[in-house]
Amino acid sequence: MRRQTLTIRTGFCALLIALVLPLFSAPACGADRVRIALPGNSMGYLPLIVAIHRGFFKEEGLDLELIRLVPTVAHNALLLNEVQYHGLADSGLRLAARGAPLKAIFYGADRPMYYLVGKKDLRTVAELKGKKIGVSTFGGTSDLSARLLLKQHGIDEKNTTLLQFGSEGTRVGALKAGAADAIIVPVPAVAILRQEGYNELAFVGDAVDFASNGYTTTEKRIKENSQEVKKVVRSIYRGLRFSKENPEETVRVIEKEWKIKADVARGSYDAIIKALNDDGIIGEKQLSIHFDLIRRTEKDIGEIPVDKVVDFRLLREVRRELSGK
């Protein structure tokens, strides 16, 4: 393992973590605090949000804090135990493949819940040759989505320019300012951009089949705090099942959480539900797509054992306990 590569950079990242985390309130009396870092307010994390609104974490005796951190800072925060989980399993897989002590423990979607949205004068993916495409971070879900989508449409990614813009808001700003010709965005950003006259060029989930919106923790936490990990997994699993089985109540959660109108919330739900996983577990076929992309950019990585990067043991226990399967 390349220890130098995996060493935590304590400078800016540690300072940012130290500044951000104290902004959150103290835990409720008698509850165990856990922190989950997310890169943004994507509806891809709907099962988690539903679990919060329905009180599933509180029922497990957990006081949950959601923290918005850019991917690099989120990975550092997780390895420093400043957060205990994050929703960046895709880029986490890359770090785990390189030897970082991380494991993906839950995947919310079988397909990426991302859309490719272009400028108002673009109508098709084919028109992106020679154009600039904005993604969140290289190696993350939006980046993987863009590369696979281009490949599916027969476009060599070398004939485009992929740009790393960070947060969803920054990507939207880049599109509106002309710094990008197209961007990868989640729901509900795609619905809002459509209303403003921008064009939906493709739904990534129709073109590619790889799991997304997963959650990661450290090997140490699984070993030393397995009951807490199981409680977190159970809460998200219950949020996933509720989302699929109770559409009307879930639409109301979407309206409230994302502060959008009922029609946009309904359309967003319809777009998301077809991509949601059934039980949070993904198999080797879906992981192989991630592995192929990792090896394309990490030339010194060979075969990647599945158990090196994921651990669904606790999730399987939860599924058996709650569904009998």
Side-chain angles (χ1 to χ4, degrees):
M1 181 178 70
R2 296 181 295 176
R3 288 286 178 187
Q4 189 64 35
T5 303
L6 297 176
T7 299
I8 304 301
R9 298 176 181 176
T10 59
F12 172 75
C13 290
L15 176 61
L16 183 56
I17 293 167
L19 290 173
V20 170
L21 296 183
L23 298 178
F24 295 85
S25 60
C29 182
D32 295 326
R33 169 179 285 179
V34 294
R35 297 182 174 115
I36 299 180
L38 300 179
N41 201 29
S42 165
M43 279 192 198
Y45 299 107
L46 181 63
L48 172 67
I49 300 302
V50 167
I52 295 170
H53 280 259
R54 299 297 300 180
F56 297 153
F57 283 95
K58 289 183 179 179
E59 290 175 11
E60 295 289 343
L62 298 176
D63 182 70
L64 179 66
E65 293 181 290
L66 282 188
I67 300 169
R68 310 298 180 187
L69 295 176
V70 296
T72 301
V73 178
H75 290 309
N76 288 335
L78 182 59
L79 289 166
L80 284 169
N81 196 37
E82 297 290 354
V83 300
Q84 289 72 52
Y85 307 86
H86 69 42
L88 291 152
D90 298 337
S91 53
L93 289 177
R94 182 184 302 273
L95 293 178
R98 286 165 47 190
L102 303 174
K103 290 286 193 295
I105 56 173
F106 189 102
Y107 266 91
D110 284 323
R111 292 185 286 171
M113 290 182 270
Y114 281 88
Y115 289 79
L116 180 64
V117 177
K119 296 193 301 184
K120 297 177 181 181
D121 60 344
L122 295 177
R123 295 287 186 273
T124 66
V125 178
E127 295 176 72
L128 291 178
K129 289 182 180 179
K131 304 294 186 181
K132 296 172 290 187
I133 303 173
V135 302
S136 173
T137 184
F138 296 141
T141 305
S142 64
D143 179 45
L144 301 180
S145 298
R147 295 176 194 274
L148 289 171
L149 190 59
L150 290 171
K151 181 179 180 181
Q152 197 269 345
H153 283 266
I155 300 175
D156 190 332
E157 64 186 62
K158 294 179 181 178
N159 294 328
T160 66
T161 301
L162 291 173
L163 299 174
Q164 182 175 256
F165 284 112
S167 71
E168 176 186 323
T170 304
R171 275 173 277 157
V172 170
L175 178 67
K176 293 182 176 182
D181 299 292
I183 57 174
I184 297 287
V185 290
V187 179
V190 59
I192 296 170
L193 286 169
R194 279 198 303 253
Q195 289 182 339
E196 295 177 357
Y198 293 90
N199 292 313
E200 176 190 324
L201 304 181
F203 170 49
V204 178
D206 284 339
V208 298
D209 180 21
F210 75 97
S212 65
N213 295 99
Y215 301 85
T216 298
T217 192
T218 61
E219 293 176 352
K220 181 178 181 181
R221 196 147 205 94
I222 294 173
K223 182 179 180 180
E224 298 181 0
N225 300 82
S226 61
Q227 288 307 303
E228 178 201 274
V229 177
K230 189 173 181 179
K231 290 177 180 180
V232 169
V233 166
R234 182 161 44 232
S235 299
I236 302 174
Y237 176 83
R238 291 177 65 193
L240 172 64
R241 296 311 313 163
F242 187 94
S243 300
K244 294 177 76 73
E245 296 165 5
N246 301 274
E248 295 306 321
E249 291 177 77
T250 303
V251 168
R252 286 195 287 272
V253 169
I254 291 173
E255 288 183 64
K256 183 177 180 180
E257 176 69 22
W258 282 275
K259 298 178 176 60
I260 54 179
K261 295 180 180 179
D263 59 337
V264 177
R266 165 57 66 181
S268 298
Y269 177 83
D270 292 341
I272 285 173
I273 197 64
K274 59 185 179 182
L276 285 182
N277 197 322
D278 280 334
D279 58 10
I281 297 172
I282 61 171
E284 291 189 36
K285 180 181 178 182
Q286 291 171 310
L287 283 168
S288 67
I289 299 175
H290 287 280
F291 294 166
D292 289 343
L293 288 167
I294 290 171
R295 285 191 291 265
R296 283 173 58 189
T297 55
E298 303 283 344
K299 303 299 183 182
D300 58 339
I301 293 180
E303 291 302 312
I304 304 171
V306 171
D307 60 4
K308 183 179 182 179
V309 297
V310 303
D311 188 342
F312 295 131
R313 289 175 298 171
L314 294 173
L315 177 54
R316 287 191 172 95
E317 288 181 15
V318 166
R319 185 180 64 174
R320 287 194 299 269
E321 292 166 3
L322 295 182
S323 69
K325 298 179 180 178

